[in-house]
Amino acid sequence: QFLYFIGEEGTMPYETGLCGCCEDRQSCCDTMCCYCCQIGRQFNAVNGELDRLSVGKCVIGLCFPWCMTTLLRIKVSGKLHLDENVWLAAALGFMCTPCSICQTHRQLTMRMYFPGGLCVKEPFT
């Protein structure tokens, strides 16, 4: 867990690891098949629109996946009070895009913001 930095009081680290894709094979499969759609779904989930696809964010995610993944991590961290600073979010968004998308999917689902997906029928528990 060397990827976590000490954050402000009241924050916590992600509850699953960055490389924990095998913990939730459905979201992993969904991310590998259509990562841009998963980005759009997760942005909607953070905004309270569960299991819905945002076509606009999907298209932007297709063109700029690293930027959208970084923005997604920042938004998820802020919403769920996770212990992750902007620089770490950027590094993980750029260097570990697929794993990062899977990790945010698991975290959102565990906190009852289920983004859903084409391959994801049941929330990760």
Side-chain angles (χ1 to χ4, degrees):
Q1 295 197 5
F2 63 92
L3 294 176
Y4 300 129
F5 293 105
I6 296 173
E8 299 173 18
E9 190 173 322
T11 62
M12 61 180 288
Y14 275 84
E15 296 173 71
T16 64
L18 181 66
C19 299
C21 296
C22 290
E23 294 174 25
D24 182 17
R25 290 187 177 100
Q26 291 180 0
S27 69
C28 180
C29 180
D30 207 56
T31 299
M32 293 303 147
C33 291
C34 190
Y35 66 87
C36 57
C37 293
Q38 193 51 245
I39 289 171
R41 285 178 174 280
Q42 289 184 35
F43 266 103
N44 273 354
V46 172
N47 293 330
E49 298 178 47
L50 307 181
D51 202 5
R52 297 194 57 186
L53 175 62
S54 170
V55 176
K57 288 182 179 70
C58 178
V59 171
I60 295 170
L62 181 63
C63 298
F64 306 102
W66 308 282
C67 295
M68 289 299 284
T69 303
T70 298
L71 291 174
L72 177 63
R73 287 192 76 89
I74 292 168
K75 193 164 179 113
V76 168
S77 294
K79 177 83 173 187
L80 303 181
H81 306 288
L82 299 173
D83 185 15
E84 183 171 274
N85 64 37
V86 174
W87 299 109
L88 181 58
L92 296 175
F94 276 86
M95 293 187 292
C96 307
T97 304
C99 292
S100 179
I101 296 168
C102 288
Q103 184 183 34
T104 53
H105 186 284
R106 289 189 306 275
Q107 189 66 38
L108 285 167
T109 303
M110 292 170 77
R111 298 283 191 91
M112 305 310 216
Y113 292 94
F114 182 56
L118 298 173
C119 303
V120 183
K121 301 303 177 209
E122 297 178 12
F124 173 76
T125 55

